Amino acid sequence: MNALEVSNENPAPDAAPPSCDVVVVGSLNMDLVTRTPRLPQPGETLTGSGFSITQGGKGANQAVALARLGASVAMIGCVGDDDYGPVLLANLAREGIDHRGVRIEHGCPTGIAAITVDDSSQNSIIVVPGSNHALTQADIEPLDTLLRDARLLVCQLEVPLDTVRFALQAARRHGCTTLLNAAPILPLDDALLALVDWLVVNEIEAAALAGQAIDTPDDARAAVAHLRRRGCRNVLITLGAQGTVAALGDELRHFKAQKVAAIDTTGAGDTFVGGFGAAIAQGLTPEAAIRLGQAAAAIAVTRTGAQTAMPYRDEIASQPSSHRET
Ligand code: RIB
């Protein structure tokens, strides 16, 4: 049994975590995925064309994407004591992710996501948080040690908001860069946004935060102005096939997306965060980081599943780059 294969039943309190580039505080889910020609209407029964059970959760997905794209990663989270918990832990170990900060909550089911993907690559997702909502401030105490060396903390919003706030505050104390993928979206106060160096949101999440609809890159630019007034420093709004609008300090830029034939967009945002975060942790420029995130997500949407679709760094190097900026 190597260091990453240890059971999390009784994590050794005095075991010094190895240093890592990136710490992810977030969710782990088992994804129950149904393929169907189209999404059902309320009250309608449809016959699906396929079903699979795969590892997911925005936190674990981003940890896996970060690791595959070159970062050394430690994860803090919580699984249940059902059959799914050990599968999710073993998966992190396989990906080379230090999961000693992932606790098992007794008497609690692991988080699941019921996902439906249709033939036009769209998905709908219902998450039942289970053990993810048992992640407390006490669970993230290992952060203080991990953050001494880490270059980036990555959070999402599938674990309790108070825990996310506590993690961001810890990163600030250690001078560690912070990235919040505000998904799924919740009301966020300005004090929390002020703890975030990189806010990454899709058009739906950005619209909820900015209080205005976002259909085009121009709408996203307007939303960025609003988010800046709320204290956000650097904002990335991902727009799927319409690319990414990025506020990099005082600069506002639009990075066009590669044209690809998408078959499943599940986890595309997580893959983008993984590519972007891995590059930032390696000291690349924000522009290069955005391009890596976009290139990784462009590959992921041509494959099925979330983690199953995520590329490795060497796959991206071999892709022709067709990014343009406006
Ligand atoms: O972003 C995709 C993820 O959202 C899925 O893996 C699912 O678990 C939900 O958390």
Side-chain angles (χ1 to χ4, degrees):
M1 188 177 280
N2 72 32
L4 297 179
E5 287 172 335
V6 291
S7 155
N8 286 33
E9 196 67 33
N10 295 300
D14 54 354
S19 64
C20 61
D21 301 329
V22 184
V23 185
V24 176
V25 173
S27 59
L28 301 98
N29 294 331
M30 198 57 96
D31 288 354
L32 315 177
V33 186
T34 305
R35 292 249 16 159
T36 175
R38 59 181 172 77
L39 300 180
Q41 303 290 320
E44 182 183 25
T45 300
L46 279 181
T47 300
S49 56
F51 179 74
S52 58
I53 301 180
T54 57
Q55 294 89 357
K58 293 184 194 303
N61 290 349
Q62 292 175 20
V64 167
L66 281 155
R68 289 189 188 172
L69 294 164
S72 63
V73 183
M75 177 156 190
I76 295 179
C78 188
V79 295
D81 64 353
D82 52 14
D83 290 347
Y84 290 152
V87 176
L88 296 179
L89 288 171
N91 179 57
L92 293 184
R94 250 193 325 271
E95 298 287 343
I97 295 163
D98 178 357
H99 59 76
R100 285 178 290 177
V102 180
R103 182 173 68 80
I104 298 172
E105 172 80 354
H106 290 280
C108 186
T110 298
I112 65 103
I115 302 179
T116 309
V117 183
D118 74 11
D119 282 351
S120 66
S121 83
Q122 297 306 304
N123 63 55
S124 70
I125 304 180
I126 298 173
V127 171
V128 183
S131 52
N132 293 304
H133 274 190
L135 190 73
T136 65
Q137 295 182 9
D139 293 321
I140 60 172
E141 269 166 21
L143 254 188
D144 267 320
T145 310
L146 289 165
L147 289 172
R148 274 183 216 145
D149 298 310
R151 305 188 70 169
L152 181 67
L153 171 74
V154 173
C155 300
Q156 322 74 32
L157 298 178
E158 287 186 331
V159 297
L161 189 56
D162 282 350
T163 307
V164 171
R165 188 188 303 274
F166 195 71
L168 293 170
Q169 286 168 338
R172 270 282 178 274
R173 278 198 305 279
H174 286 275
C176 178
T177 301
T178 59
L179 184 158
L180 175 65
N181 174 220
I185 193 64
L186 295 172
L188 299 176
D189 55 77
D190 293 356
L192 185 131
L193 291 175
L195 296 169
V196 177
D197 295 309
W198 292 99
L199 178 70
V200 182
V201 281
N202 68 17
E203 62 270 49
I204 295 169
E205 295 143 7
L209 279 179
Q212 55 195 78
I214 299 177
D215 296 315
T216 65
D218 282 344
D219 296 338
R221 287 187 176 96
V224 160
H226 179 96
L227 290 170
R228 276 206 176 123
R229 285 195 293 278
R230 292 195 58 192
C232 297
R233 268 172 284 263
N234 304 296
V235 183
L236 308 183
I237 302 181
T238 58
L239 301 166
Q242 294 192 87
T244 301
V245 168
L248 310 173
D250 292 335
E251 260 188 286
L252 196 51
R253 294 166 71 172
H254 177 216
F255 294 78
K256 289 191 173 172
Q258 288 180 31
K259 284 194 171 61
V260 292
I263 61 167
D264 183 355
T265 57
T266 310
D270 299 331
T271 309
F272 175 86
V273 168
F276 177 80
I280 289 292
Q282 287 157 16
L284 271 61
T285 63
E287 291 82 356
I290 290 167
R291 289 194 189 99
L292 181 61
Q294 287 187 314
I299 293 174
V301 299
T302 65
R303 306 171 178 171
T304 58
Q307 294 178 26
T308 47
M310 289 170 175
Y312 292 83
R313 188 73 183 82
D314 57 355
E315 294 179 74
I316 292 177
S318 64
Q319 292 289 307
S321 175
S322 59
H323 293 280
R324 279 170 298 146
E325 254 184 84
T326 54

